[in-house]
Amino acid sequence: MASSREKQRQPNIPQGSYPQKEVVNPRGTEEAPSFSSARPNEPTREEGCIDLMEQVVERDNLLSALRRVEKNKGAAGVDGMEIKSLRPFLMENWQRIRSDLLHGTYQPMPVRRVEIPKPDGGSKRMLGIPGVLDRLIQQALLQVLTPIFDPEFSWYSYGFRQGRSAHQAVNQAQIFISQGYRWVVDMDLAQFFDRVNHDMLMARVARKVKDKRVLKLIRGYLNAGVMEHGVCVSTEEGVPQGGPLSPLLANIMLDDLDRELTRRGHRFVRYADDCNVYVKSRHAGERVMESLRLFVEERLKLKVNAEKSAVDRPWRRKFLGFSFTHHKQPRIRVAPKSLKRFKDKVRTLTSRSRGQSMMQRLEWLNAYLRGWAGYYRHAQTRSVFEHLDEWIRRRLRMCLLKQWKKPKTKRRNLVRLGIPEEWAVHISASRKGYWRLANTPQTNKALGLAYWRDQGLVSLVERYDAIRSTT
């Protein structure tokens, strides 16, 4: 088993093409359950074990799952039960639920349909929110099934796996590009989570799971249906996004794709349904794209989105929010589309028409900036963060100038900030628009970096430097 797994992890790739041992990034995996095969007094979960359901409902496993669900919080399902009500509910009903699970008679509830906008701003992503009880059971299932399936997944699969992260996937892509594989087959699976064939997925799960109660329960979650406008709609295909179990099921379904790419000796990186294959020429890329399309559509019964898929240079494509420079030794940069989304969000938060105080505006803006800098700290282009800081401060100066409204208020406040009276009069009497005034030398002096630091504004470049110095 070990030798076959090692062979799978190294598909004809020269030594040194990827790190054999990677440092686990705690920021990229803090939401993933922790499993250790070396825990004392705990039996090893073996492939094909027929008492998996007993392991699912085992006390320590359930308590771990409960803590995870409570930590993740989340919205209520179709039954309206909130996270805070879960523990009291379990105190009264757990023995009955446990019995149903052990006897294979438990019936999952339908999921609640929620639409969220995709990052491209066009279409909607359909989520299925399970009830909190079903989230608990799915999490308990996940903790038992992960040690069975995960060790056999490809070395180049990074999505939703313990010790793996999007940043590691981007690092691996950078390595392939620096080795001369400077064309990418960017394959987009159309509505992957909505198109998964249930029978094909269950056949793959059954390769390693022999407990029929577990198989029946997983099938029950796939067929539970979706509640829309008070009507339960049956689900004959797809894996509802929103439950703890769906990422593992997605990886199980796409593991065949990974194995096929490995068998062919391709250099690839996959994060969930986002798969990139790196080749040395456009001709090779077009050949790989066509052969993979046939494999995905005929063998996996999925659909390749022809409009979003392409064979192109890596620096012209976006991968997990990042892109690359065109240099021989490429650097990781923030993708242009990601920068556009960032600016659109900041424009919304700093809109002049939003009736809010500057303190409220900074509070919401800071929360967004911290999260954005935390993810994009992986970029190797520091100057982008400096330019964004300058642009954000100009946006905020524009907001202040509008809030001051009257010329005398502008003049009084600018003088209070240390601007000479003559300069303050010139600014307050100007007929220029707020955006132009926000970039004048006088306004820059009064409302510069020191002023916004005192107001508590998060600096992207300072956050970038601080995070990178500790990782």
Side-chain angles (χ1 to χ4, degrees), residues 222-418:
L222 295 175
N223 295 334
V226 176
M227 190 68 73
E228 292 185 292
H229 309 295
V231 178
C232 183
V233 180
S234 63
T235 49
E236 298 179 357
E237 62 179 5
V239 179
Q241 288 180 268
L245 196 57
S246 57
L248 176 63
L249 296 179
N251 276 333
I252 292 173
M253 188 66 189
L254 291 175
D255 188 51
D256 281 10
L257 174 61
D258 296 341
R259 292 176 183 274
E260 179 66 14
L261 290 168
T262 300
R263 186 186 66 81
R264 299 181 186 184
H266 288 312
R267 279 74 176 170
F268 73 96
V269 181
R270 184 176 67 79
Y271 191 96
D273 59 334
D274 201 343
C275 183
N276 281 2
V277 183
Y278 295 88
V279 296
K280 289 192 172 182
S281 69
R282 175 181 288 277
H283 179 71
E286 291 172 348
R287 185 179 67 250
V288 170
M289 174 69 84
E290 180 59 22
S291 64
L292 289 182
R293 185 189 64 80
L294 292 174
F295 179 86
V296 166
E297 296 184 353
E298 294 181 4
R299 291 279 297 277
L300 301 182
K301 306 303 180 186
L302 298 171
K303 180 73 174 175
V304 173
N305 189 331
E307 293 183 1
K308 294 185 178 181
S309 300
V311 177
D312 207 342
R313 295 292 194 177
W315 46 88
R316 295 176 187 156
R317 305 296 295 179
K318 176 174 69 72
F319 182 52
L320 302 177
F322 294 93
S323 188
F324 304 91
T325 64
H326 65 277
H327 303 97
K328 187 173 183 180
Q329 295 297 323
R331 289 186 296 163
I332 299 170
R333 64 188 178 105
V334 182
K337 288 184 178 179
S338 300
L339 288 174
K340 181 181 182 302
R341 287 202 302 272
F342 172 83
K343 288 191 171 184
D344 288 344
K345 180 66 174 180
V346 172
R347 285 190 183 98
T348 300
L349 294 174
T350 59
S351 172
R352 292 178 298 174
S353 60
R354 287 171 70 99
Q356 58 186 351
S357 68
M358 183 56 69
M359 184 173 295
Q360 285 179 317
R361 182 178 279 112
L362 288 177
E363 182 180 350
W364 293 335
L365 181 60
N366 282 343
Y368 179 67
L369 295 180
R370 289 190 187 97
W372 196 87
Y375 182 73
Y376 287 101
R377 72 184 187 276
H378 202 59
Q380 297 167 331
T381 49
R382 183 180 185 274
S383 60
V384 170
F385 291 78
E386 293 177 332
H387 295 323
L388 290 176
D389 267 346
E390 294 170 0
W391 179 79
I392 291 168
R393 290 195 295 270
R394 184 178 177 184
R395 292 282 309 175
L396 293 174
R397 289 195 295 269
M398 177 190 69
C399 293
L400 265 186
L401 289 173
K402 184 181 181 184
Q403 283 184 357
W404 291 342
K405 292 184 179 178
K406 296 181 179 179
K408 65 178 182 179
T409 306
K410 294 178 188 175
R411 178 182 56 78
R412 183 174 64 248
N413 287 330
L414 289 171
V415 170
R416 186 181 300 155
L417 289 168

Side-chain angles (χ1 to χ4, degrees), residues 112-183:
R112 182 167 64 88
R113 175 69 79 200
V114 176
E115 295 183 1
I116 61 172
K118 286 188 175 182
D120 58 16
S123 56
K124 299 280 188 177
R125 176 175 285 121
M126 310 297 286
L127 298 184
I129 308 300
V132 292
L133 175 60
D134 283 322
R135 292 212 291 274
L136 170 67
I137 296 172
Q138 285 194 33
Q139 181 65 38
L141 266 174
L142 175 69
Q143 294 172 180
V144 171
L145 295 178
T146 296
I148 295 173
F149 286 95
D150 192 86
E152 297 300 318
F153 287 153
S154 169
W155 181 262
Y156 300 101
S157 170
Y158 292 89
F160 310 112
R161 297 181 62 192
Q162 174 71 0
R164 297 299 182 97
S165 69
H167 291 164
Q168 292 174 346
V170 174
N171 280 345
Q172 185 61 67
Q174 183 186 31
I175 290 171
F176 287 148
I177 298 168
S178 66
Q179 291 174 345
Y181 296 88
R182 297 171 67 82
W183 289 87

Side-chain angles (χ1 to χ4, degrees), residues 179-241:
Q179 291 174 345
Y181 296 88
R182 297 171 67 82
W183 289 87
V184 62
V185 180
D186 186 354
M187 187 173 63
D188 182 84
L189 299 180
Q191 299 178 316
F192 166 71
F193 283 91
D194 298 327
R195 292 178 180 269
V196 172
N197 183 287
H198 289 177
D199 291 337
M200 296 184 68
L201 173 58
M202 290 307 302
R204 285 157 174 76
V205 174
R207 293 172 185 171
K208 294 179 179 292
V209 175
K210 304 305 179 187
D211 191 325
K212 294 183 178 179
R213 297 166 299 177
V214 172
L215 294 174
K216 182 180 178 181
L217 181 59
I218 295 173
R219 172 74 78 165
Y221 279 119
L222 295 175
N223 295 334
V226 176
M227 190 68 73
E228 292 185 292
H229 309 295
V231 178
C232 183
V233 180
S234 63
T235 49
E236 298 179 357
E237 62 179 5
V239 179
Q241 288 180 268

